Amino acid sequence: MTTSRPRASSASAAPLVSETQGGGSPGAAGGAARSGLAFAVGAYGLWGVLPVFFLLMSPSGPFEIVAWRIVFSLVFCLALLAATRGFPAFVRLLRQPRLVATMGLAGVFIVVNWTVFITAALAGHVVEAALGYFINPIVTVLLAVVVLRERLRPAQWAAVALSGVAVLVIAIGTGDVPWVSLVLASSFGLYGLVKKQVGGRVDAVGGLTLETMLMTPVAGAALVVMAVTGVGGGVVFGSVSVVHTLTVISSGVVTAVPLLLFAAAARRLPLATIGLTQYLAPVLQLIVGVVLLHEEMPVTRWIGFAIVWVALIVLSTDAVRSSRRNRGIERKSRIANETVQ
């Protein structure tokens, strides 16, 4: 949104979700918080081990994997809509052309993200992919300035500057700009920005269904071209083994389940808590890359990662303090209103 005067930034290290509303008994709130944390850990834990899952799809190439992921995600989401009787609400979404166009743009960004991530995983660049998701919160903050015209707090500017230094250190040390990291962070940041514009009008299942439905014609065309020409390794689905076929089919479930877990967590946890748990995914990806896949980690890359972690500590601390301050202001305002009434 554009305003005549800059505002204090609402951007933080967290995904763009709503604050959990207060109310209810302390016991119920505590139970919701515990279950919400479990859902968040489940979501980010699954996202963290995705590189291993995609490696199991070899010898399928990245473009084939992305195409089938789109197709089977749509199949799974349609099944969920049928099971939950969500088709009437989904049809209402389809009757809003501007919303459909917005979700189509979101679909483009997430497909770019999927393609780069899977290509990186299959090519042995999981560590670089992990760096992309570490710096994603910083990109989200930058997008708040560039697109939403928000004003950053000093701590947020410090985090942005530190991240820039980290990328520079890695580029100089390795002799190559970490393009995979930058594209992943930018595409996912833009995806989150587009989804923020949609707000609460689209639920997790309806949103993923609409995104994959809009991308399915492109995925289908890509599969036909690959099958006919053999470009990108061709299409090997159904010709390798039963295990490989079932693994590819299950990509729809693997795509949708973490999103559903995240949606459940977002309804139960404060924004700041969600923001802190999101780092579990890149931490696990880093472990997969270094420990399981034995990717190289020169000293300069470790230094770059360390600088990014310092930036994230600064950003997360600022987000927690801002969240507490906002809750305090809201509490005082509520008490004042009750006193007046």
Side-chain angles (χ1 to χ4, degrees), residues 11-327:
S12 70
L16 302 170
V17 295
S18 301
E19 284 278 1
T20 300
Q21 299 298 318
S25 67
R34 286 190 294 272
S35 63
L37 186 60
F39 288 134
V41 170
Y44 287 114
L46 288 172
W47 279 325
V49 297
L50 273 182
V52 177
F53 176 77
F54 293 129
L55 287 171
L56 294 175
M57 293 190 188
S58 181
S60 291
F63 295 105
E64 182 189 1
I65 292 175
V66 171
W68 286 125
R69 187 181 185 185
I70 293 170
V71 172
F72 288 119
S73 293
L74 176 60
V75 172
F76 183 69
C77 287
L78 291 174
L80 279 179
L81 287 177
T84 58
R85 299 179 180 179
F87 276 112
F90 182 69
V91 170
R92 286 194 292 272
L93 295 179
L94 295 177
R95 292 173 178 169
Q96 304 176 56
R98 182 173 296 181
L99 178 62
V100 171
T102 301
M103 295 304 294
L105 182 60
V108 170
F109 287 134
I110 200 60
V111 167
V112 169
N113 185 270
W114 288 356
T115 303
V116 174
F117 182 80
I118 294 172
T119 301
L122 296 182
H125 296 291
V126 174
V127 169
E128 195 171 344
L131 177 62
Y133 290 111
F134 273 125
I135 66 176
N136 171 249
I138 313 296
V139 171
T140 300
V141 168
L142 278 175
L143 287 173
V145 176
V146 175
V147 180
L148 303 181
R149 307 287 180 87
E150 294 186 352
R151 178 193 297 169
L152 297 189
R153 297 182 290 271
Q156 293 174 314
W157 275 120
V160 170
L162 284 170
S163 297
V165 171
V167 171
L168 186 62
V169 167
I170 293 174
I172 294 174
T174 61
D176 191 20
V177 177
W179 291 113
V180 168
S181 306
L182 296 176
V183 173
L184 284 175
S186 301
S187 58
F188 200 70
L190 289 167
Y191 175 73
L193 180 66
V194 173
K195 297 281 278 190
K196 181 181 180 180
Q197 308 309 311
V198 174
R201 290 178 291 165
V202 181
D203 62 285
V205 177
L208 184 60
T209 305
L210 188 51
E211 291 164 20
T212 52
M213 185 182 72
L214 294 171
M215 292 298 106
T216 294
V218 178
L223 288 170
V224 171
V225 171
M226 285 187 288
V228 172
T229 66
V231 67
V235 176
V236 301
F237 174 71
S239 63
V240 179
S241 67
V242 174
V243 173
H244 178 268
T245 300
L246 293 176
T247 301
V248 175
I249 292 174
S250 66
S251 62
V253 178
V254 172
T255 298
V257 167
L259 285 172
L260 297 177
L261 291 174
F262 173 78
R267 289 194 297 267
R268 294 166 172 81
L269 292 177
L271 186 66
T273 304
I274 290 287
L276 293 176
T277 58
Q278 73 175 312
Y279 301 123
L280 175 61
V283 165
L284 289 175
Q285 291 168 9
L286 179 62
I287 292 173
V288 168
V290 175
V291 178
L292 294 183
L293 304 181
H294 307 291
E295 294 184 19
E296 292 185 3
M297 281 294 289
V299 174
T300 50
R301 180 173 277 183
W302 277 118
I303 294 174
F305 268 84
I307 296 173
V308 168
W309 293 332
V310 171
L312 292 176
I313 290 172
V314 172
L315 193 64
S316 299
T317 301
D318 177 73
V320 171
R321 288 177 177 173
S322 177
S323 178
R324 289 176 177 173
R325 183 167 57 250
N326 290 338
R327 285 200 298 269

